[in-house]
Amino acid sequence: KQEVTQIPAALSVPEGENLVLNCSFTDSAIYNLQWFRQDPGKGLTSLLLIQSSQREQTSGRLNASLDKSSGRSTLYIAASQPGDSATYLCAVIYGGATNKLIFGTGTLLAVQP
Amino acid sequence: EAGVAQSPRYKIIEKRQSVAFWCNPISGHATLYWYQQILGQGPKLLIQFQNNGVVDDSQLPKDRFSAERLKGVDSTLKIQPAKLEDSAVYLCASSSGSGGYNEQFFGPGTRLTVL
């Protein structure tokens, strides 16, 4: 069974701190891995997409890494800000015809001013 | 470019009632997805359409859920009759195709509460 797990489920940090969110998946034969942000009452916003041939992607203060052999990905947020407070979801795609995203349970991040 | 539109944004119903959700994908997007997100969980795919044909509905509870995408554009998701455990956010997403990976763009969701 293809499962995606995220640790921790919730995290509270003071403003300015660097932090790491973790994502693990059971089947290493992934096609892509994607990190999303979800704000209350809103849909999902894509943050970073890592293709299976890549090891990391960067966008501004965000850096996502991918280690297929160990079934893990991390999302690193540098110099956190209160506006980063949201739920962060990782999702994997195993290819095939359906393009189906399999999501983790998410990490709820609170950045305290 | 307009995003994925969904309505209503919120809905409260009694159990055993019926409810319908509507989604309008990004113009030109051939693939449309409906996800169910229960509180504290990640979204789970219910059904995927390619144009007006169903690609994957393996996790759709077909005894009570139905979905259609007439003319390959808008889509409706219906629940009849609703159960307490159907309380969730229903997310619609669209992408330009399903071959290889085509990024999915999500709407704001419809929050359903079943009392």
Side-chain angles (χ1 to χ4, degrees):
Chain A
K1 182 180 178 182
Q2 297 162 338
E3 295 183 347
V4 180
T5 305
Q6 291 186 246
I7 296 174
L11 181 63
S12 180
V13 300
E15 181 177 4
E17 192 164 296
N18 301 325
L19 59 100
V20 175
L21 307 181
N22 296 290
C23 174
S24 61
F25 42 94
T26 55
D27 186 344
S28 62
I30 66 170
Y31 189 78
N32 287 321
L33 184 143
Q34 195 164 0
W35 283 92
F36 291 86
R37 169 182 174 142
Q38 185 173 32
D39 293 282
K42 298 186 179 180
L44 278 62
T45 301
S46 178
L47 297 174
L48 290 165
L49 170 67
I50 309 177
Q51 298 181 8
S52 60
S53 59
Q54 299 174 321
R55 294 190 64 86
E56 66 176 337
Q57 281 285 336
T58 298
S59 176
R61 294 182 294 108
L62 306 180
N63 176 274
S65 67
L66 174 63
D67 184 343
K68 287 180 56 179
S69 61
S70 65
R72 294 180 182 177
S73 175
T74 61
L75 179 66
Y76 175 83
I77 302 177
S80 58
Q81 303 170 358
D84 295 330
S85 298
T87 296
Y88 290 81
L89 294 157
C90 75
V92 299
I93 295 177
Y94 286 100
T98 65
N99 205 40
K100 180 169 68 176
L101 287 166
I102 299 176
F103 284 87
T105 51
T107 293
L108 176 61
L109 174 65
V111 181
Q112 308 299 331
Chain B
E1 178 183 84
V4 177
Q6 291 188 247
S7 67
R9 294 294 312 278
Y10 306 92
K11 190 73 176 179
I12 300 174
I13 62 172
E14 301 280 337
K15 62 182 179 183
R16 291 187 290 274
Q17 287 186 324
S18 62
V19 64
F21 313 128
W22 174 82
C23 173
N24 181 239
I26 292 173
S27 178
H29 278 192
T31 310
L32 186 147
Y33 314 78
W34 283 102
Y35 289 85
Q36 179 193 56
Q37 185 177 21
I38 295 172
L39 185 64
Q41 300 181 17
K44 179 185 76 173
L45 181 69
L46 291 176
I47 189 167
Q48 177 182 343
F49 292 95
Q50 177 72 14
N51 296 309
N52 59 354
V54 175
V55 175
D56 183 351
D57 63 356
S58 58
Q59 298 193 88
L60 185 73
K62 298 180 185 64
D63 58 335
R64 297 183 301 104
F65 286 65
S66 65
E68 60 182 8
R69 191 183 185 198
L70 299 176
K71 301 180 181 178
V73 182
D74 295 2
S75 177
T76 56
L77 177 69
K78 298 179 181 178
I79 307 175
Q80 181 179 12
K83 293 185 175 182
L84 296 177
E85 58 262 36
D86 299 332
S87 294
V89 176
Y90 291 84
L91 295 163
C92 179
S94 69
S95 67
S96 58
S98 63
Y101 179 66
N102 294 275
E103 184 175 358
Q104 297 179 33
F105 296 86
F106 285 80
T110 296
R111 180 176 298 276
L112 173 67
T113 302
V114 182
L115 303 176

